Amino acid sequence: MRTDRPIPVLATIALLAAILAAGAASPGRNSAQEATGEWLLDVWEQTQTQSRFEFKREGAVIKWTLSRGRFQSRNPRWGEKAAVEASGTVTKISETSAELVGKYDMSDNRAHIGKPMKYELNRTGEDTLRGRGIGAANEWFPVQLRRVK
């Protein structure tokens, strides 16, 4: 047995073989792109709340912006929801989910400006995301987004 070959080369070859095999097992999808969040980069909307998310890559980071018009909440405790603009970053990403953290940049309710918000989204189809969010009211609410075509 030869020992003059460095082990890292063998490990690299094994890793490349595994990646190629995974790509062959799922035609039409690039696992490396999926895991880096390329699937998320687009505009997504939630029509019932007039919310619009836009995801863009800036270097190694995925940033997001949210704009939402005024709307009447289904939760009677909340009443009419203020128009807001928010922004942040995607802090976790996988082939099937994303976690977003950010803050309110503008709101009809000035008390919200600068407050944190968080979203946990799961990919439920090529063009749909479902999950939950939490914002200024400090109470989780359901989120359902569709990719804008």
Side-chain angles (χ1 to χ4, degrees):
M1 175 182 198
R2 290 181 61 179
T3 59
D4 57 12
R5 279 192 171 213
I7 297 297
V9 171
L10 296 176
T12 301
I13 291 170
L15 177 61
L16 287 173
I19 291 170
L20 291 173
S26 56
R29 288 192 124 160
N30 181 326
S31 293
Q33 285 183 336
E34 296 288 309
T36 60
E38 296 300 312
W39 59 269
L40 185 61
L41 303 178
D42 215 334
V43 177
W44 301 78
E45 288 184 332
Q46 182 168 344
T47 54
Q48 60 270 39
T49 62
Q50 302 176 17
S51 297
R52 184 178 181 99
F53 285 85
E54 185 170 357
F55 296 89
K56 293 182 178 181
R57 181 172 299 285
E58 291 186 19
V61 177
I62 298 176
K63 295 194 174 188
W64 59 270
T65 57
L66 162 67
S67 59
R68 182 186 77 200
R70 284 185 166 274
F71 75 98
Q72 187 64 39
S73 174
R74 293 181 184 172
N75 184 331
R77 291 184 304 132
W78 291 351
E80 186 176 62
K81 299 296 286 178
V84 301
E85 290 181 10
S87 62
T89 58
V90 175
T91 56
K92 291 183 184 177
I93 192 78
S94 74
E95 293 179 20
T96 59
S97 65
E99 186 174 290
L100 290 54
V101 173
K103 65 177 179 53
Y104 291 87
D105 298 320
M106 186 286 298
S107 175
D108 289 347
N109 182 339
R110 294 209 175 275
H112 294 167
I113 297 173
K115 290 206 174 191
M117 57 174 36
K118 179 179 180 177
Y119 289 88
E120 297 172 350
L121 303 172
N122 295 301
R123 190 176 182 189
T124 56
E126 196 63 32
D127 297 324
T128 56
L129 300 172
R130 289 181 188 226
R132 64 186 190 157
I134 190 167
N138 204 29
E139 189 173 314
W140 289 101
F141 54 87
V143 176
Q144 183 174 342
L145 303 172
R146 285 194 139 303
R147 186 185 310 269
V148 175
K149 293 191 177 207

